[in-house]
Amino acid sequence: MKYFIGNWKMFGVPKSINILNKINLFYSKDANRNKYKIIITPPYTLIETFSKHFKNKKILIGSQNCYQKDKFSSNTGAVSSHMIRSVGAKYTLVGHSDNRAEGDTDLMLKNKIKFALKNNLKVVFCIGENKNDKKNKRTFSIIRKQLTKVLEKKFNQKNIIIAYEPIWSIGTGKLPTRAELDSTTTYIKSILKKIFRKNIPPVLYGGSVDDISINFFKDIRLINGFLIGGASKSSKKFIDIIKNYYR
Ligand code: PEP
């Protein structure tokens, strides 16, 4: 099973559901539809409307983040996994580099995952090195720390997906080389194997994936899907990513 996850970031108002209606129409007729899942993470404000609208359809809705405490608390502006699940979301991103840049620590991320799983959300845990780490050949050590300091053996790995998103690639049009992607994905899977022993989570790639660059990823079998930012806001681009991937 492959995953195509669209992360809308700070984009969208209620009428933006038209984008998803077009994607859903394509999906419902696509001969390849049993080979993949589509998950869209709109902003919190749209989760309930979108979840209700697509309840019996194949598009799954997730949140872009969740708070590191259970249920309710006195944290202004915070939204917990319990609240996210209560309005119909099935997934949440955790540890996106945008949120790490705003102060997410390993402990916060661990708690976010813990409460998300407790509240029946599947977790898409984002990891990845920055430009400087890459330049100084620290990619593997950064990734190892990001995984081992947060993930615990007792977490149910069946409800976890890893998204490898090199920060230097997000929104820049820069892609890793084939060799870099092969070796980093293999490394990530080896660390996951050490943590979970068996049934390791799928590993997705994210960073400048669009309807053109998807051709580069087509035959990289180790990658179990994609986290797509900018290109997920256009129904045409998102549909073309899927079409080109299976062409
Ligand atoms: C992202 O922000 O998760 C992302 C992958 O963005 P983009 O596809 O625009 O590089």
Side-chain angles (χ1 to χ4, degrees):
M1 180 61 64
K2 302 278 177 191
Y3 295 84
F4 292 89
I5 306 183
N7 175 19
W8 277 14
K9 310 191 190 192
M10 199 176 85
F11 167 82
V13 288
K15 71 171 187 218
S16 314
I17 202 162
N18 291 333
I19 299 170
L20 297 192
N21 282 332
K22 286 181 194 151
I23 295 172
N24 187 56
L25 188 65
F26 158 77
Y27 188 50
S28 61
K29 295 182 181 159
D30 185 13
N32 290 310
R33 69 180 179 277
N34 292 329
K35 297 183 185 160
Y36 62 90
K37 282 189 200 296
I38 293 180
I39 301 159
I40 302 291
T41 62
Y44 288 131
T45 46
L46 298 175
I47 290 178
E48 183 166 15
T49 326
F50 285 13
S51 298
K52 275 195 183 140
H53 187 77
F54 291 105
K55 195 162 182 217
N56 300 313
K57 311 244 174 29
K58 294 288 184 180
I59 291 187
L60 297 156
I61 302 299
S63 65
Q64 297 172 15
N65 200 356
C66 57
Y67 200 62
Q68 60 270 15
K69 285 188 187 167
D70 201 7
K71 226 164 178 171
F72 305 126
S73 71
S74 59
N75 296 89
T76 305
V79 183
S80 69
S81 289
H82 172 74
M83 294 153 77
I84 294 163
R85 188 70 185 85
S86 77
V87 290
K90 301 270 168 54
Y91 287 80
T92 182
L93 305 184
V94 171
H96 191 281
S97 56
D98 289 344
N99 305 128
R100 289 179 187 263
E102 284 168 0
D104 270 6
T105 63
D106 290 334
L107 181 61
M108 284 159 67
L109 297 174
K110 193 190 270 289
N111 284 322
K112 286 180 186 209
I113 296 179
K114 180 172 124 187
F115 292 122
L117 295 174
K118 185 179 168 214
N119 286 285
N120 292 320
L121 288 176
K122 292 188 199 300
V123 169
V124 181
F125 181 45
C126 306
I127 57 168
E129 80 286 2
N130 66 26
K131 196 170 144 194
N132 214 23
D133 299 328
K134 178 171 156 52
K135 193 169 139 224
N136 292 301
K137 304 207 180 324
R138 285 198 302 255
T139 299
F140 281 17
S141 64
I142 293 291
I143 281 170
R144 189 180 60 245
K145 278 200 204 111
Q146 288 174 333
L147 290 170
T148 55
K149 287 199 185 277
V150 174
L151 295 178
E152 291 188 13
K153 191 172 179 289
K154 66 174 191 239
F155 289 164
N156 186 351
Q157 72 269 46
K158 290 195 190 117
N159 292 330
I160 296 175
I161 294 170
I162 305 299
Y164 168 57
E165 298 208 295
I167 298 169
W168 50 267
S169 170
I170 295 178
T172 61
K174 294 198 174 97
L175 300 178
T177 63
R178 171 79 197 237
E180 282 168 346
L181 205 50
D182 275 348
S183 67
T184 312
T185 312
T186 305
Y187 184 70
I188 291 169
K189 293 198 176 195
S190 76
I191 301 289
L192 292 172
K193 198 150 201 172
K194 277 194 191 134
I195 299 171
F196 294 118
R197 303 286 148 108
K198 49 185 180 176
N199 299 325
I200 63 164
V203 179
L204 318 188
Y205 170 80
S208 295
V209 175
D210 62 21
D211 46 328
I212 313 287
S213 67
I214 191 69
N215 293 309
F216 166 75
F217 299 98
K218 276 171 75 141
D219 58 345
I220 308 183
R221 294 285 137 216
L222 277 172
I223 294 174
N224 306 113
F226 303 93
L227 180 49
I228 302 150
S232 70
K233 295 181 284 189
S234 148
S235 53
K236 179 166 181 349
K237 281 192 184 166
F238 196 77
I239 291 168
D240 282 349
I241 288 172
I242 298 172
K243 276 189 188 162
N244 291 341
Y245 185 75
Y246 288 106
R247 182 166 289 157

